Amino acid sequence: MGSEYTSALEIGIERMRAEHSALLRDGRLWSLRELFSTPDCDIAEYCRDFRPNRFGDEACARVEQFCRERNIWLEAGGVHYNSMTPYLHPGAITAERMTVIGLYNAILFWLNDTVGREKFAHLDPDEQHAAQTAVKRMCRLLEIRATAEDPTPVESATGEFVAMLTHLAQPQWLDRFLASTIAHLRSAIQDQNARARGSLLDVGEYIELRSHVSGMYPAIELCEFGQDRYLPWDDIHRAGVAADLERLQMLTVEIGALMNDVFSFEKECIADLADFNLIPLWLLNNPGSDLPRAVEAAAAVVRDRVTEFRQVNTRVDSHCTRLRPLDPELAQTVAIHATDLSDCVRATWVWQVTTARYKGKSIFAENCVV
């Protein structure tokens, strides 16, 4: 269980930032590649043959045009977050589906980079109230699938996105996906820092909440939309594959969220002064420790999940081999989804190494500006 937020925790956060400054001055560098690798799996080698979606350039151009025309393009971050879509969904089968996924990501990133959890604490009370009102309106829009009579630019854009998605998606999947997005928005557009919460989550509680805040649940659901191939869960349960496939999904979500915590530590916790991140969370839950040990412990959490992902993925492959003579269509659907999840995990590494979004003065070699 977590603990009450006290002045001692605030002192611990300030000490962490002072340690970070000292590490920069001393030139201390960690290799994220080394931190996330094991003797039998080099993370960079595991991801070496990864390629983003073949429709990526076309889709990114369409998304940027759409957002500029509707006044929801962020000059400071747009190019960086727009580039993520072809990495996270390399399996999307048409430029149209790739573009719709890109619009979704652009809308969520616009919210994140203007009123999301990292920015929320810096808003004044009126701005925070406006942000909370905005997310309520967005959730209502997704529930009724229609915009209000006086839509904001982001609401108008979201209404158009929902109309496109409704035209292309399986209805049952659409219901689940929109509900998942609503759950994400309600947790992401608020101050999740320990001071605002009045308590410190333990590491397990944090990982569970971070998985929802990250948006990774709807992200992996979009894999089904991108392929236009939807998981028949009743059949998957009957075939005895559900437990391993659900675990594979959960690991994909957690790897995406927690690896991002390490890459974005300085952007979130040093530049934006947030503490809702695995590194300070581990540090504050382990009094007497220091930032170097917190970095290594956070990386170990990610590394262990990558190892388990590979193990569970092997079991899912075995299920598919067993199923092919009995139900080839089900076997193919599960195999394709497992491949998409593997691509999401590999994209988490490849895109974050590639993007300039986290680059600057850093204690991580891969984040340093060359």
Side-chain angles (χ1 to χ4, degrees):
M1 293 292 292
S3 58
E4 183 180 356
Y5 187 77
T6 65
S7 59
L9 296 179
E10 220 166 291
I11 292 169
I13 293 170
E14 289 304 315
R15 185 183 300 117
M16 176 195 74
R17 293 181 181 131
E19 286 184 74
H20 177 266
S21 295
L23 291 168
L24 282 180
R25 287 195 305 269
D26 294 344
R28 172 69 186 272
L29 278 178
W30 280 268
S31 162
L32 292 174
R33 178 177 181 174
E34 292 180 4
L35 286 174
F36 294 140
S37 295
T38 60
D40 65 333
C41 180
D42 180 304
I43 189 71
E45 289 298 324
Y46 178 61
C47 302
R48 185 170 298 281
D49 64 349
F50 176 88
R51 297 293 182 272
N53 189 277
R54 64 189 186 279
F55 302 115
D57 290 344
E58 179 183 351
C60 285
R62 289 183 184 180
V63 169
E64 181 173 348
Q65 180 181 1
F66 177 97
C67 292
R68 287 187 181 280
E69 290 173 350
R70 289 150 185 85
N71 199 30
I72 60 165
W73 181 258
L74 296 176
E75 293 293 345
V79 171
H80 302 317
Y81 63 64
N82 194 25
S83 72
M84 184 192 72
T85 299
Y87 284 83
L88 197 57
H89 295 94
I93 59 175
T94 65
E96 182 180 27
R97 289 179 182 273
M98 184 84 272
T99 301
V100 172
I101 294 171
L103 294 178
Y104 177 78
N105 289 335
I107 289 166
L108 290 191
F109 266 107
W110 186 90
L111 290 167
N112 178 77
D113 285 10
T114 56
V115 296
R117 61 184 174 84
E118 299 163 36
K119 307 298 183 183
F120 197 95
H122 303 292
L123 304 177
D124 64 35
D126 288 342
E127 290 171 328
Q128 289 185 350
H129 177 72
Q132 290 168 337
T133 299
V135 75
K136 288 177 183 177
R137 286 170 59 104
M138 285 286 284
C139 291
R140 178 63 177 161
L141 186 163
L142 296 172
E143 285 170 348
I144 67 173
R145 303 179 196 181
T147 57
E149 292 182 0
D150 57 340
T152 63
V154 73
E155 289 170 0
S156 294
T158 303
E160 292 182 66
F161 158 76
V162 170
M164 296 177 199
L165 194 66
T166 301
H167 175 68
L168 292 170
Q170 181 200 67
Q172 295 90 339
W173 173 89
L174 182 63
D175 291 343
R176 294 195 304 270
F177 173 74
L178 293 180
S180 181
T181 300
I182 290 168
H184 161 64
L185 289 174
R186 286 176 173 157
S187 62
I189 312 303
Q190 61 176 290
D191 188 350
Q192 293 286 7
N193 291 316
R195 178 198 282 269
R197 298 179 60 83
S199 63
L200 175 69
L201 299 169
D202 67 30
V203 172
E205 291 169 333
Y206 170 77
I207 291 172
E208 182 177 0
L209 178 57
R210 178 72 176 98
S211 295
H212 289 284
V213 170
S214 71
M216 282 299 296
Y217 283 111
I220 65 170
E221 288 170 348
L222 280 168
C223 293
E224 297 174 66
F225 170 79
Q227 295 277 3
D228 196 23
R229 184 183 281 266
Y230 304 94
L231 294 171
W233 280 105
D234 288 345
D235 294 340
I236 290 169
H237 277 277
R238 280 193 292 270
V241 186
D244 281 333
L245 190 59
E246 287 170 347
R247 183 59 183 162
L248 202 64
Q249 289 182 329
M250 175 68 76
L251 289 165
T252 303
V253 167
E254 292 183 354
I255 291 166
L258 301 176
M259 188 183 288
N260 175 255
D261 272 7
V262 182
F263 269 99
S264 65
F265 163 69
E266 287 150 321
K267 177 180 178 296
E268 295 178 1
C269 304
I270 305 302
D272 284 337
L273 305 179
D275 59 57
F276 188 75
N277 179 290
L278 182 60
I279 291 174
L281 225 294
W282 189 93
L283 181 63
L284 295 175
N285 273 282
N286 290 272
S289 192
D290 58 14
L291 181 55
R293 278 184 280 180
V295 166
E296 289 165 4
V301 171
V302 178
R303 188 171 62 242
D304 290 347
R305 280 162 173 76
V306 173
T307 297
E308 186 184 354
F309 179 91
R310 293 169 52 236
Q311 294 167 346
V312 178
N313 202 19
T314 297
R315 294 205 298 270
V316 172
D317 286 344
S318 297
H319 286 305
C320 292
T321 299
R322 171 178 59 81
L323 282 173
R324 281 190 185 96
L326 307 171
D327 191 338
E329 180 66 19
L330 179 61
Q332 186 177 15
T333 296
V334 171
I336 288 172
H337 189 66
T339 297
D340 281 340
L341 296 179
S342 178
D343 282 339
C344 283
V345 168
R346 298 194 299 161
T348 299
W349 167 260
V350 176
W351 179 73
Q352 290 183 132
V353 170
T354 304
T355 183
R357 185 172 173 84
Y358 309 114
K359 299 295 190 288
K361 292 182 179 179
S362 179
I363 58 175
F364 302 123
E366 289 81 356
N367 279 358
C368 289
V369 173
V370 178

